[in-house]
Structure formats: C-alpha cells, structure tokens
Amino acid sequence: MTTAETHEEPLSIGEVAERTGLSVHALRFYEREGLLVGPVHRTSGGRRRYTSFDVDWLLICVKLRESGMPLSDLGRFADLVRQGPGNEAERLRLLDAHRRRVDAQIRALEECRSVIAWKVGVYAEHLARGEAGGLWDPTA
C-alpha cells in the first residue's frame, strides 16, 4: 500500500452506492455472495467501511453484470482474483468467453437494429407520401 492508500478516508455503504450506482441492498448482496475481492471492514459499531479499491472493483462488476455476465462467472472471477497471482490464464479464459458472448449479442442487436431501421424507413416514406393507411392492417 502506498502512503496515500493508507491514509485514504474509508467510505460508507451509502457513499459507495452513490459512486457505483448500486443500491445499498445490492452492495450487501454482493458481499453475501462473495463477489468482492477483499473483506469489507467494519467500524466498532458494525458499519461497513469501503476503500477506493472496493469501488474500483465494484465498477468493474457493474459493467460485467450489465453486459450479462452470470453471477456464477462473476463469483468465479472474484475468487480467482482473491487467490492472487498464478491463475491469470484462467481469468483470461473466463473474460474472453464472456467477451465472445457479448460480441455475439452485439451482432444480434445490430441485425435487429437493421430491421427496425428498414421498417422505420418504410413507415416514414409512406407517411411522407400520405399513403400510410393499410400498412400492416390486420383488418384489410
């Protein structure tokens, strides 16, 4: 740890929720499920205290979850990181498999967007000509 890290102010669960966009409930869930890489320290009164490292890790977790990574994979990734050096190849395999899934989802969404854009064009053209009546009319 650097001197700056040693003297950084710990963050409350509310502050971490604000910085990460996760709810307080979600932060507690992440902790219960073992998705954090370090222990969450507590005050003598039992209040959670987080570090900037925790926030950085949680921001990565948010993006992995937003991109559809299953909780089981996220948990495995966190476990590998907690284990420390020596398992980087396994981490890479896990992340690369997820990247390939995301790439496939992006391709599928681009195909969907293309169909939607085509249909928008059809409707816009017909409306501009005043000929929109009857487009996909199930009663016709």
Side-chain angles (χ1 to χ4, degrees), residues 25-37 48 57 65 70-79 82:
H25 176 75
L27 288 168
R28 290 181 184 129
F29 173 80
Y30 272 51
E31 183 181 353
R32 266 192 325 271
E33 294 297 313
L35 301 175
L36 299 173
V37 293
R48 289 170 174 83
W57 174 256
R65 287 294 294 145
L71 283 173
S72 59
D73 286 356
L74 184 56
R76 179 67 184 140
F77 185 53
D79 186 49
R82 269 193 304 275

Side-chain angles (χ1 to χ4, degrees), residues 1 4 42 124:
M1 281 182 133
R42 294 182 183 254

Side-chain angles (χ1 to χ4, degrees), residues 58-73:
L58 286 163
L59 289 171
I60 291 168
C61 290
V62 165
K63 291 303 176 190
L64 291 173
R65 287 294 294 145
E66 283 179 356
S67 63
M69 180 178 270
L71 283 173
S72 59
D73 286 356

